[in-house]
Amino acid sequence: MRETRRLWSGLEAFNLASRELVLAQVDDDPDRRQRVDALLARTCTVAAGRVEPWRLRVLNLARAGRADEALRVLTEGTLLVADPAPLEWVRIGLLREMGRLDEAEAMARAYLQEHPDDPDMLHDLAVLQGQRGRWRDAAATAERLKTAAPADHRGWLDLGVALARLGRPEAAAATFREGLAHVPEGPARDLLAENLARLDEAGRRP
């Protein structure tokens, strides 16, 4: 019974922290962020196996300018949660924000060794490689993504952008057109169509 009360108390703290975090995103009040961290730290202690308290605590710390502490909390959380994958995604994003791109890419590659067809991580890696100006690598990663998940617009979009950056607009346009045949109707498909239209318009300019 005592353990149950302790768990409920932690979850109550998590709910309060979630509400406070919404307000902190608006006013960016350091005192409010400190209160949020204290509440989330309490939840992480009593419900250590749950991913979301760890994820929110890390994001709150990062937004408060405490990136190194956020990384430390991530390391602790990944050892305790049942599925550390969401925290690994957060770590890679945080490392990118900190400009530690070598570490971010190394972590993404390590993750893909175990989960080679993960579309989210393949997309993140392609974006990271493009961010670093390595468009050939980005194109190769995007090829993997569109093969693993042909209905996912991101593979076609990432590949088209990489090809355009490599000076191959015709191949980029062909990629977008092929993607339109695979991606279901909706905003994601519209994004491919918009990029194709921009390429076609650029090709008509003298």
PDB file of all heavy atoms in Angstrom, residues 51-66:
ATOM      1  N   VAL A  51       9.182   6.271 -19.568  1.00  0.00           N
ATOM      2  CA  VAL A  51      10.026   7.110 -20.419  1.00  0.00           C
ATOM      3  C   VAL A  51       9.664   8.590 -20.316  1.00  0.00           C
ATOM      4  O   VAL A  51      10.540   9.461 -20.249  1.00  0.00           O
ATOM      5  CB  VAL A  51       9.920   6.654 -21.899  1.00  0.00           C
ATOM      6  CG1 VAL A  51      10.547   7.685 -22.828  1.00  0.00           C
ATOM      7  CG2 VAL A  51      10.604   5.308 -22.077  1.00  0.00           C
ATOM      8  N   GLU A  52       8.371   8.905 -20.301  1.00  0.00           N
ATOM      9  CA  GLU A  52       7.946  10.289 -20.481  1.00  0.00           C
ATOM     10  C   GLU A  52       8.467  11.249 -19.414  1.00  0.00           C
ATOM     11  O   GLU A  52       8.885  12.367 -19.744  1.00  0.00           O
ATOM     12  CB  GLU A  52       6.417  10.356 -20.568  1.00  0.00           C
ATOM     13  CG  GLU A  52       5.875  11.682 -21.084  1.00  0.00           C
ATOM     14  CD  GLU A  52       6.317  12.043 -22.495  1.00  0.00           C
ATOM     15  OE1 GLU A  52       6.917  11.183 -23.178  1.00  0.00           O
ATOM     16  OE2 GLU A  52       6.074  13.178 -22.911  1.00  0.00           O
ATOM     17  N   PRO A  53       8.475  10.885 -18.124  1.00  0.00           N
ATOM     18  CA  PRO A  53       9.051  11.819 -17.144  1.00  0.00           C
ATOM     19  C   PRO A  53      10.524  12.147 -17.433  1.00  0.00           C
ATOM     20  O   PRO A  53      10.942  13.303 -17.310  1.00  0.00           O
ATOM     21  CB  PRO A  53       8.902  11.082 -15.811  1.00  0.00           C
ATOM     22  CG  PRO A  53       7.759  10.149 -16.036  1.00  0.00           C
ATOM     23  CD  PRO A  53       7.875   9.716 -17.457  1.00  0.00           C
ATOM     24  N   TRP A  54      11.300  11.135 -17.821  1.00  0.00           N
ATOM     25  CA  TRP A  54      12.705  11.381 -18.155  1.00  0.00           C
ATOM     26  C   TRP A  54      12.811  12.308 -19.371  1.00  0.00           C
ATOM     27  O   TRP A  54      13.623  13.241 -19.377  1.00  0.00           O
ATOM     28  CB  TRP A  54      13.409  10.057 -18.455  1.00  0.00           C
ATOM     29  CG  TRP A  54      13.578   9.157 -17.280  1.00  0.00           C
ATOM     30  CD1 TRP A  54      12.799   8.074 -16.957  1.00  0.00           C
ATOM     31  CD2 TRP A  54      14.564   9.256 -16.251  1.00  0.00           C
ATOM     32  NE1 TRP A  54      13.242   7.493 -15.802  1.00  0.00           N
ATOM     33  CE2 TRP A  54      14.333   8.183 -15.343  1.00  0.00           C
ATOM     34  CE3 TRP A  54      15.624  10.129 -16.005  1.00  0.00           C
ATOM     35  CZ2 TRP A  54      15.124   7.978 -14.221  1.00  0.00           C
ATOM     36  CZ3 TRP A  54      16.417   9.913 -14.880  1.00  0.00           C
ATOM     37  CH2 TRP A  54      16.169   8.856 -14.003  1.00  0.00           C
ATOM     38  N   ARG A  55      11.988  12.030 -20.377  1.00  0.00           N
ATOM     39  CA  ARG A  55      12.059  12.825 -21.614  1.00  0.00           C
ATOM     40  C   ARG A  55      11.717  14.290 -21.338  1.00  0.00           C
ATOM     41  O   ARG A  55      12.431  15.199 -21.780  1.00  0.00           O
ATOM     42  CB  ARG A  55      11.094  12.252 -22.658  1.00  0.00           C
ATOM     43  CG  ARG A  55      11.256  12.854 -24.051  1.00  0.00           C
ATOM     44  CD  ARG A  55      10.218  12.307 -25.010  1.00  0.00           C
ATOM     45  NE  ARG A  55       8.913  12.847 -24.709  1.00  0.00           N
ATOM     46  CZ  ARG A  55       8.479  14.034 -25.160  1.00  0.00           C
ATOM     47  NH1 ARG A  55       9.243  14.787 -25.936  1.00  0.00           N
ATOM     48  NH2 ARG A  55       7.278  14.473 -24.839  1.00  0.00           N
ATOM     49  N   LEU A  56      10.642  14.506 -20.583  1.00  0.00           N
ATOM     50  CA  LEU A  56      10.247  15.887 -20.292  1.00  0.00           C
ATOM     51  C   LEU A  56      11.275  16.587 -19.411  1.00  0.00           C
ATOM     52  O   LEU A  56      11.550  17.781 -19.595  1.00  0.00           O
ATOM     53  CB  LEU A  56       8.880  15.906 -19.607  1.00  0.00           C
ATOM     54  CG  LEU A  56       7.670  15.574 -20.490  1.00  0.00           C
ATOM     55  CD1 LEU A  56       6.389  15.755 -19.700  1.00  0.00           C
ATOM     56  CD2 LEU A  56       7.638  16.444 -21.741  1.00  0.00           C
ATOM     57  N   ARG A  57      11.856  15.854 -18.462  1.00  0.00           N
ATOM     58  CA  ARG A  57      12.863  16.484 -17.603  1.00  0.00           C
ATOM     59  C   ARG A  57      14.072  16.929 -18.423  1.00  0.00           C
ATOM     60  O   ARG A  57      14.600  18.028 -18.245  1.00  0.00           O
ATOM     61  CB  ARG A  57      13.301  15.526 -16.490  1.00  0.00           C
ATOM     62  CG  ARG A  57      14.193  16.240 -15.494  1.00  0.00           C
ATOM     63  CD  ARG A  57      14.669  15.383 -14.353  1.00  0.00           C
ATOM     64  NE  ARG A  57      15.499  16.189 -13.465  1.00  0.00           N
ATOM     65  CZ  ARG A  57      16.402  15.706 -12.640  1.00  0.00           C
ATOM     66  NH1 ARG A  57      16.603  14.400 -12.559  1.00  0.00           N
ATOM     67  NH2 ARG A  57      17.119  16.519 -11.889  1.00  0.00           N
ATOM     68  N   VAL A  58      14.496  16.075 -19.344  1.00  0.00           N
ATOM     69  CA  VAL A  58      15.649  16.414 -20.185  1.00  0.00           C
ATOM     70  C   VAL A  58      15.343  17.639 -21.050  1.00  0.00           C
ATOM     71  O   VAL A  58      16.158  18.561 -21.156  1.00  0.00           O
ATOM     72  CB  VAL A  58      16.033  15.210 -21.065  1.00  0.00           C
ATOM     73  CG1 VAL A  58      17.003  15.622 -22.169  1.00  0.00           C
ATOM     74  CG2 VAL A  58      16.660  14.117 -20.203  1.00  0.00           C
ATOM     75  N   LEU A  59      14.170  17.656 -21.671  1.00  0.00           N
ATOM     76  CA  LEU A  59      13.814  18.792 -22.527  1.00  0.00           C
ATOM     77  C   LEU A  59      13.718  20.085 -21.725  1.00  0.00           C
ATOM     78  O   LEU A  59      14.146  21.150 -22.179  1.00  0.00           O
ATOM     79  CB  LEU A  59      12.486  18.508 -23.245  1.00  0.00           C
ATOM     80  CG  LEU A  59      12.527  17.365 -24.268  1.00  0.00           C
ATOM     81  CD1 LEU A  59      11.135  17.112 -24.840  1.00  0.00           C
ATOM     82  CD2 LEU A  59      13.511  17.670 -25.392  1.00  0.00           C
ATOM     83  N   ASN A  60      13.168  19.999 -20.515  1.00  0.00           N
ATOM     84  CA  ASN A  60      13.074  21.183 -19.664  1.00  0.00           C
ATOM     85  C   ASN A  60      14.459  21.694 -19.278  1.00  0.00           C
ATOM     86  O   ASN A  60      14.726  22.901 -19.324  1.00  0.00           O
ATOM     87  CB  ASN A  60      12.265  20.847 -18.405  1.00  0.00           C
ATOM     88  CG  ASN A  60      12.125  22.041 -17.479  1.00  0.00           C
ATOM     89  OD1 ASN A  60      11.583  23.077 -17.855  1.00  0.00           O
ATOM     90  ND2 ASN A  60      12.612  21.896 -16.261  1.00  0.00           N
ATOM     91  N   LEU A  61      15.355  20.789 -18.916  1.00  0.00           N
ATOM     92  CA  LEU A  61      16.719  21.191 -18.560  1.00  0.00           C
ATOM     93  C   LEU A  61      17.434  21.825 -19.749  1.00  0.00           C
ATOM     94  O   LEU A  61      18.135  22.839 -19.610  1.00  0.00           O
ATOM     95  CB  LEU A  61      17.513  19.978 -18.070  1.00  0.00           C
ATOM     96  CG  LEU A  61      17.152  19.446 -16.677  1.00  0.00           C
ATOM     97  CD1 LEU A  61      17.812  18.095 -16.445  1.00  0.00           C
ATOM     98  CD2 LEU A  61      17.579  20.445 -15.593  1.00  0.00           C
ATOM     99  N   ALA A  62      17.251  21.232 -20.923  1.00  0.00           N
ATOM    100  CA  ALA A  62      17.908  21.773 -22.117  1.00  0.00           C
ATOM    101  C   ALA A  62      17.414  23.178 -22.414  1.00  0.00           C
ATOM    102  O   ALA A  62      18.207  24.074 -22.739  1.00  0.00           O
ATOM    103  CB  ALA A  62      17.661  20.854 -23.308  1.00  0.00           C
ATOM    104  N   ARG A  63      16.093  23.392 -22.309  1.00  0.00           N
ATOM    105  CA  ARG A  63      15.541  24.722 -22.585  1.00  0.00           C
ATOM    106  C   ARG A  63      15.976  25.737 -21.536  1.00  0.00           C
ATOM    107  O   ARG A  63      16.009  26.939 -21.794  1.00  0.00           O
ATOM    108  CB  ARG A  63      14.014  24.648 -22.651  1.00  0.00           C
ATOM    109  CG  ARG A  63      13.481  23.804 -23.800  1.00  0.00           C
ATOM    110  CD  ARG A  63      13.856  24.387 -25.163  1.00  0.00           C
ATOM    111  NE  ARG A  63      13.467  23.492 -26.245  1.00  0.00           N
ATOM    112  CZ  ARG A  63      14.269  22.610 -26.813  1.00  0.00           C
ATOM    113  NH1 ARG A  63      15.522  22.489 -26.397  1.00  0.00           N
ATOM    114  NH2 ARG A  63      13.846  21.832 -27.797  1.00  0.00           N
ATOM    115  N   ALA A  64      16.326  25.256 -20.355  1.00  0.00           N
ATOM    116  CA  ALA A  64      16.803  26.140 -19.287  1.00  0.00           C
ATOM    117  C   ALA A  64      18.294  26.438 -19.427  1.00  0.00           C
ATOM    118  O   ALA A  64      18.871  27.109 -18.571  1.00  0.00           O
ATOM    119  CB  ALA A  64      16.501  25.528 -17.925  1.00  0.00           C
ATOM    120  N   GLY A  65      18.913  25.913 -20.484  1.00  0.00           N
ATOM    121  CA  GLY A  65      20.337  26.146 -20.693  1.00  0.00           C
ATOM    122  C   GLY A  65      21.233  25.234 -19.889  1.00  0.00           C
ATOM    123  O   GLY A  65      22.421  25.505 -19.723  1.00  0.00           O
ATOM    124  N   ARG A  66      20.686  24.125 -19.412  1.00  0.00           N
ATOM    125  CA  ARG A  66      21.450  23.186 -18.581  1.00  0.00           C
ATOM    126  C   ARG A  66      21.678  21.889 -19.369  1.00  0.00           C
ATOM    127  O   ARG A  66      21.308  20.795 -18.954  1.00  0.00           O
ATOM    128  CB  ARG A  66      20.696  22.920 -17.282  1.00  0.00           C
ATOM    129  CG  ARG A  66      20.528  24.179 -16.438  1.00  0.00           C
ATOM    130  CD  ARG A  66      19.397  24.083 -15.430  1.00  0.00           C
ATOM    131  NE  ARG A  66      19.609  23.061 -14.416  1.00  0.00           N
ATOM    132  CZ  ARG A  66      18.693  22.767 -13.493  1.00  0.00           C
ATOM    133  NH1 ARG A  66      17.539  23.420 -13.462  1.00  0.00           N
ATOM    134  NH2 ARG A  66      18.937  21.823 -12.584  1.00  0.00           N
TER     135      ARG A  66
END
